[in-house]
Amino acid sequence: MRADAALRRPRTLSAFSVLLAMQLARARRSWRQYIIVSSAMPSGIAILLRAMTSHPGKVLALQIISGNVVLSVAITAIAMLAQQVAWMRQNRTFDYYHTLPVGNSAVILAILVAYLLFALPGIAVVLTVGALFYGVHLQISWGLIPAILATGVALSGIGALLGIAARDSELAGLTGNLVMMAVLFLGIIPAARLPLLLVALSDALPSTYGVRLILHLLTGQAGSLAWLVDGSMLLLFSVLLFLAVDRLSYRTG
Amino acid sequence: MLAFEIRDLHKTFGVQVHANDGLDFAIEAGEVFGILGPNGAGKSTLVQQMVGLSVPTKGEIRLFGQAVRPHDRRVRATVGYLAQRPLALYDLRAREAVVDTGRLRGLRRREAEEQAAQLLSETGLGDRRDRLVGNLSGGEHRLVGLATALIGDPPVLILDEPTNELDPVARRRVWDMLMRRREQGTTIVLVTHNVLEAEGVVGRVAIMAGGRIAAIGTPSELKQRLHAKVRLEIALRDEVPSIREWLRRGRQVGERSWSLELARGELGEALARLGDPGTSSEIADLRVTSPSLEDVYLSYHDGEVRGIAG
């Protein structure tokens, strides 16, 4: 007869690294899909806008590039993740994780980070295409990593929430695509050219702060007050959205 | 010591569907406990509550004396669970799925790798260990799921249909694995349709029907309830007109084979009838058997036995 006297539980970091590796294994079969989807549409939009504007200024060019970087994140983090989470819920895939001694938040965070990492090749392609087609010099700095990470966590939070709330994966995919369109529209068009209502909506989306933060970094304006405000807002969105997902993750059971 | 105590457990979906309706029973630590019942009897709903995946509408479940709460990490660390649905780790190799599960149960990498190799060898998947789970057959997929439930050597196992989709050789392996765990003192809760095979492994059985426990006891206790009956199986070489009508009391199971359920008192008369020289010369095979656990299960399933819930 054995009871539960000598039970073991994994350390949080060790559990997270295993969970992340398990999520990243998805790329074994789908890596082409992740690269194509996260790079083709943002790069295509950047090229299209370049073809339609005869002399875009440097600021507008960088706004377009930053917006498309965030769009690249949004495609995997919102549209694809929402569908994946809804599918996992529908098929009771979460039951496997919910019967192991690991926290729900570690599972959710691993899925969010994995989908963010799937967007990285697309981001690299968008930056390269943007620099080539717009002929601008991009100030690539280490600061881009936390900026993209925070943007990714916030947008993944939206994707995961859509996946948790949707009735099925089709509906999650549809709403994910609609939110992604909002990110595209409000992220690329400068606030000064938007009607007041859309400016308010834009301020309520974390992607707006992500675009601005990346724009500050690409123009070498890191450290300014605006950079600090945008960075803080993005961080706040990331934390709040992650907590919301963690809180609602019982609905994945 | 009790592993599980289940008290007045109700689980209702919507207003009308009572998946579990007032369940009351206990499972001793170290016991192999079988839960049998037809589809829709409420077996999977019950075990999902036992592992904390689902919350009872009313009542309580205790594991080693402590209440099971939803998403309870103590329960997660104590119980190895094999769900009825296939394991959804399609993109991992079989070996990775088992090792990673072990690491999520708190094993060090080396320990997890050693145990995974042992489990994959026990299940007969040694040569499939580097295949993606999504590329395995249904049975192999099930065996990987079983290995993930067993890694880390949890003191309690809850296995929902562990031999589904398995061929006879793999089923034999699984029962042998479970017998070994039973000898080590692991508490095992088995949900199965495979009544004949489970009979050799389980210590006690609960038969569920319509969300309730219709009967509970050891297989011999349950069979005792059908003690007044015997089964007579007969195969003939050719048609025997003199017993044609009599055979129609039973069930025809082959071209010239019948299975008859008789009261013990009728057995002498039946054997005398078959002993007639004109009949006995045509008998190819004749067997008289006591009721098996499957007969008990079928008797509840067919509604023949009522009102003897344990």
Side-chain angles (χ1 to χ4, degrees):
Chain A
M1 180 187 70
R2 302 161 58 212
D4 56 348
L7 296 174
R8 291 203 265 184
R9 292 178 181 125
R11 293 182 180 183
T12 308
L13 200 62
S14 154
F16 177 73
S17 66
V18 173
L19 289 165
L20 182 60
M22 289 170 98
Q23 294 304 318
L24 290 175
R26 219 181 291 284
R28 275 184 180 145
R29 279 199 241 223
S30 314
W31 64 273
R32 292 177 192 84
Q33 180 192 344
Y34 292 129
I35 291 178
I36 292 167
V37 171
S38 67
S39 58
M41 188 172 158
S43 303
I45 289 169
I47 294 167
L48 181 76
L49 290 174
R50 176 67 190 91
M52 290 170 72
T53 47
S54 49
H55 297 293
K58 189 183 175 190
V59 174
L60 183 61
L62 290 174
Q63 173 91 21
I64 290 169
I65 294 169
S66 308
N68 280 300
V69 165
V70 172
L71 176 64
S72 185
V73 178
I75 289 170
T76 50
I78 298 179
M80 294 174 87
L81 179 61
Q83 212 160 355
Q84 178 65 22
V85 169
W87 181 87
M88 288 173 82
R89 257 187 58 232
Q90 230 177 327
N91 292 282
R92 299 198 68 97
T93 302
F94 283 108
D95 282 3
Y96 164 78
Y97 299 104
H98 290 171
T99 52
L100 292 170
V102 289
N104 290 352
S105 46
V107 176
I108 290 291
L109 190 64
I111 298 173
L112 302 191
V113 172
Y115 270 79
L116 169 62
L117 293 175
F118 293 148
L120 290 182
I123 293 170
V125 171
V126 172
L127 288 172
T128 310
V129 166
L132 285 174
F133 276 79
Y134 287 87
V136 287
H137 173 71
L138 304 174
Q139 303 247 341
I140 304 294
S141 68
W142 288 109
L144 275 174
I145 293 173
I148 289 170
L149 192 70
T151 309
V153 170
L155 296 186
S156 305
I158 294 175
L161 284 177
L162 291 175
I164 289 171
R167 192 181 59 236
D168 52 47
S169 57
E170 285 78 16
L171 190 62
L174 179 71
T175 48
N177 276 305
L178 288 175
V179 175
M180 196 186 71
M181 291 304 289
V183 168
L184 165 69
F185 190 67
L186 300 171
I188 293 178
I189 302 172
R193 298 189 189 179
L194 288 172
L196 206 58
L197 188 69
L198 289 183
V199 172
L201 183 62
S202 162
D203 287 345
L205 280 174
S207 49
T208 305
Y209 303 97
V211 173
R212 286 192 208 151
L213 195 63
I214 292 167
L215 183 61
H216 294 312
L217 288 160
L218 291 179
T219 51
Q221 290 172 2
S224 67
L225 183 64
W227 174 85
L228 199 65
V229 170
D230 290 332
S232 305
M233 285 302 290
L234 191 58
L235 202 61
L236 186 67
F237 267 111
S238 302
V239 172
L240 289 178
L241 281 162
F242 176 71
L243 290 176
V245 173
D246 186 40
R247 191 75 189 262
L248 290 172
S249 63
Y250 72 90
R251 290 195 56 187
T252 56
Chain B
M1 187 182 195
L2 292 177
F4 279 106
E5 293 166 80
I6 289 153
R7 298 285 166 242
D8 191 29
L9 190 80
H10 292 256
K11 181 71 184 179
T12 309
F13 296 106
V15 185
Q16 295 292 333
V17 184
H18 299 282
N20 291 153
D21 193 4
L23 304 182
D24 242 313
F25 65 97
I27 299 171
E28 290 281 345
E31 186 177 10
V32 180
F33 189 88
I35 301 175
L36 310 180
N39 292 331
K43 308 181 301 289
S44 293
T45 305
L46 168 63
V47 294
Q48 281 174 8
Q49 293 169 93
M50 290 166 78
V51 291
L53 283 175
S54 171
V55 187
T57 310
K58 187 185 158 199
E60 188 182 47
I61 300 176
R62 289 182 164 269
L63 173 61
F64 293 116
Q66 291 182 49
V68 171
R69 306 199 184 287
H71 304 301
D72 188 330
R73 286 181 77 176
R74 181 186 63 90
V75 176
R76 295 175 180 203
T78 310
V79 180
Y81 175 59
L82 174 68
Q84 199 176 20
R85 282 173 174 271
L87 187 69
L89 306 174
Y90 303 110
D91 301 306
L92 295 182
R93 294 188 171 88
R95 174 180 46 82
E96 291 170 333
V98 185
V99 170
D100 287 354
T101 307
R103 295 197 66 206
L104 293 176
R105 287 198 164 278
L107 300 182
R108 291 174 199 280
R109 177 178 282 282
R110 182 177 288 247
E111 274 178 295
E113 281 172 354
E114 283 169 5
Q115 283 196 26
Q118 167 68 25
L119 282 164
L120 289 171
S121 153
E122 266 189 281
T123 51
L125 286 176
D127 58 342
R128 302 272 197 284
R129 62 184 181 276
D130 289 321
R131 289 221 181 153
L132 292 182
V133 172
N135 292 343
L136 295 174
S137 71
E140 290 166 343
H141 201 144
R142 196 80 191 135
L143 290 170
V144 176
L146 180 70
T148 63
L150 265 54
I151 195 160
D153 200 17
V156 177
L157 292 171
I158 296 183
L159 309 174
D160 199 343
E161 304 287 1
T163 54
N164 255 10
E165 298 189 64
L166 299 187
D167 62 47
V169 175
R171 284 210 300 272
R172 185 69 261 157
R173 273 203 197 105
V174 169
W175 294 122
D176 288 346
M177 286 172 81
L178 297 183
M179 299 272 254
R180 284 195 287 277
R181 266 77 188 171
R182 182 181 69 178
E183 280 155 23
Q184 291 161 6
T186 304
T187 307
I188 305 175
V189 180
L190 272 175
V191 178
T192 183
H193 284 301
N194 212 329
V195 186
L196 279 175
E197 290 177 8
E199 188 170 353
V201 183
V202 294
R204 277 192 316 142
V205 173
I207 298 179
M208 288 186 72
R212 296 182 180 178
I213 303 276
I216 191 166
T218 64
S220 58
E221 282 169 355
L222 295 179
K223 285 188 285 189
Q224 200 64 35
R225 293 175 185 178
L226 289 183
H227 186 64
K229 291 188 174 178
V230 287
R231 183 176 297 283
L232 189 141
E233 288 165 9
I234 181 167
L236 298 174
R237 289 195 185 89
D238 204 353
E239 198 166 319
V240 182
S242 62
I243 58 168
R244 190 189 299 149
E245 273 307 307
W246 178 73
L247 287 172
R248 284 192 183 144
R249 291 179 50 186
R251 200 160 41 98
Q252 188 161 5
V253 291
E255 194 184 350
R256 292 205 180 87
S257 307
W258 285 263
S259 173
L260 290 91
E261 203 172 79
L262 303 171
R264 279 186 188 268
E266 295 174 307
L267 186 60
E269 183 208 329
L271 292 176
R273 193 186 287 267
L274 297 170
D276 178 79
T279 307
S280 61
S281 59
E282 295 300 331
I283 294 175
D285 194 15
L286 177 70
R287 266 184 293 178
V288 179
T289 55
S290 292
S292 66
L293 190 56
E294 184 164 78
D295 293 316
V296 178
Y297 171 81
L298 288 171
S299 72
Y300 282 96
H301 188 241
D302 296 343
E304 287 178 23
V305 182
R306 301 271 181 218
I308 51 170

